[in-house]
Amino acid sequence: MYTEKVMDHFEHPRNVGEIENASGMGTVGNAKCGDIMRMYLDIDENQVIQDVKFKTFGCGAAVATSSMATELVKGKTVQEAMEITNQAVCEALDGLPPVKVHCSLLAEEAIHAALWDYANKNGIKIDGLKKPKSDIGEEEVEEEY
Ligand code: FES
């Protein structure tokens, strides 16, 4: 049902953790399945994403898609990161079962929520960026990954 890449990122997720004093942090949740994803971005003065970490409290596909999303945005400028859509994440994972596509959407939205936080803190406008509807702000995420 899952591709090898999905299984690999699920079993060995990249960039799990937190960044202290992150340039941007975003937390999104899917009200239907209850899954939550938090993304931290460390962005330098040239608007390049130097580091990225995530925590996901959710299904295997949510873990795999957030892991892949972190790999895709690392080293990109904030504007380039806007091109990392859920389709791009799905393609990089060689596809997801249709019922799991919403999990990849959560990954895209987590990036956008973190970029939104960064843009707001710095008074920057990122073309095409909107605050995701699934943004749940600072709400406490208690369980450890
Ligand atoms: Fe909800 Fe995967 S089932 S994010």
Side-chain angles (χ1 to χ4, degrees):
M1 176 176 174
Y2 289 115
T3 67
E4 267 177 41
K5 280 196 190 163
V6 173
M7 290 311 293
D8 179 35
H9 277 265
F10 169 57
E11 284 170 359
H12 312 285
R14 323 313 194 247
N15 308 306
V16 173
E18 296 177 24
I19 296 175
E20 247 182 78
N21 303 318
S23 319
M25 184 194 83
T27 311
V28 292
N30 182 306
K32 281 197 186 137
C33 65
D35 290 352
I36 293 173
M37 207 180 274
R38 178 171 283 175
M39 193 78 72
Y40 300 84
L41 298 174
D42 181 22
I43 300 169
D44 71 13
E45 63 283 3
N46 298 318
Q47 299 192 2
V48 175
I49 298 169
Q50 293 292 347
D51 199 11
V52 48
K53 294 265 190 273
F54 82 93
K55 282 185 164 183
T56 289
F57 310 89
C59 73
V63 172
T65 52
S66 29
S67 168
M68 180 53 91
T70 59
E71 291 275 273
L72 293 175
V73 300
K74 207 183 231 181
K76 301 270 191 331
T77 65
V78 296
Q79 202 61 59
E80 286 166 345
M82 289 298 296
E83 286 158 31
I84 314 296
T85 59
N86 75 309
Q87 287 99 324
V89 173
C90 281
E91 275 166 30
L93 288 167
D94 294 336
L96 275 176
V99 293
K100 288 290 174 183
V101 170
H102 79 272
C103 318
S104 63
L105 200 58
L106 210 53
E108 176 188 310
E109 290 172 350
I111 297 171
H112 287 184
L115 287 173
W116 181 264
D117 180 42
Y118 161 75
N120 253 355
K121 277 184 190 157
N122 293 281
I124 290 168
K125 186 172 171 356
I126 301 174
D127 285 346
L129 180 64
K130 290 196 195 99
K131 184 175 183 179
K133 287 202 180 75
S134 56
D135 193 328
I136 56 175
E138 297 284 322
E139 198 172 293
E140 252 331 293
V141 180
E142 300 212 332
E143 284 165 72
E144 278 301 313
Y145 174 70

